[in-house]
Amino acid sequence: MSLNEEELAGFASLLRVRRAELARDRTAIADELDLVRTARGESSSDDEHDPEGSTLTSDWSRIVGLGESVTERIRAVDAALQRIADGTYGVCVRCGKPIGGERLSARPAAATCIDCARELDG
């Protein structure tokens, strides 16, 4: 499947919107992490044994994990935008076959065709 200019422009637009959403998410996560850092610095109590709710350490780990996930998704979107610029968008980076239109519609940042994705996940 070869994408025409209009389709490429549509995917580029979707990817730019997604990147902006992810950037907002990353900012919110950074703000939340700052709150936990502040709470850890100000806390003199032993929250590790507090029977009420999660600990600051648990919160810290969860937030860092979310931040790493968002950063990875931003990288994937940036890579897809670069493939559009390079003229290689819609071609599997692993096998060189076309990535199906349905897959790109569902996952515009997809770098692999469905067959390669299944092999990599399996």
Side-chain angles (χ1 to χ4, degrees):
M1 170 191 132
S2 181
L3 299 170
N4 64 40
E5 291 298 318
E6 186 177 327
E7 291 168 321
L8 284 172
F11 282 118
S13 178
L14 282 172
L15 288 162
R16 284 190 297 272
V17 167
R18 183 66 182 137
R19 193 186 193 297
E21 291 168 349
L22 289 167
R24 283 191 298 275
D25 289 348
R26 184 170 53 185
T27 298
I29 290 167
D31 291 345
E32 189 175 356
L33 189 56
D34 286 343
L35 290 173
V36 171
R37 279 187 186 118
T38 300
R40 284 180 82 173
E42 294 174 352
S43 177
S44 61
S45 66
D46 179 11
D47 81 328
E48 299 301 318
H49 298 96
D50 182 358
E52 305 290 325
S54 63
T55 64
L56 292 174
T57 300
S58 173
D59 289 346
W60 180 288
S61 294
R62 178 186 58 79
I63 295 164
V64 167
L66 288 172
E68 290 170 355
S69 175
V70 168
T71 297
E72 183 55 39
R73 286 184 278 163
I74 288 172
R75 283 188 195 117
V77 168
D78 288 345
L81 287 167
Q82 187 60 52
R83 288 191 302 278
I84 289 174
D86 294 344
T88 60
Y89 183 79
V91 176
C92 180
V93 298
R94 186 166 184 247
C95 72
K97 293 180 183 174
I99 300 173
E102 287 182 13
R103 177 160 170 78
L104 288 174
S105 293
R107 298 185 58 141
T112 57
C113 66
I114 192 69
D115 292 333
C116 287
R118 285 184 183 136
E119 286 180 30
L120 293 170
D121 288 340

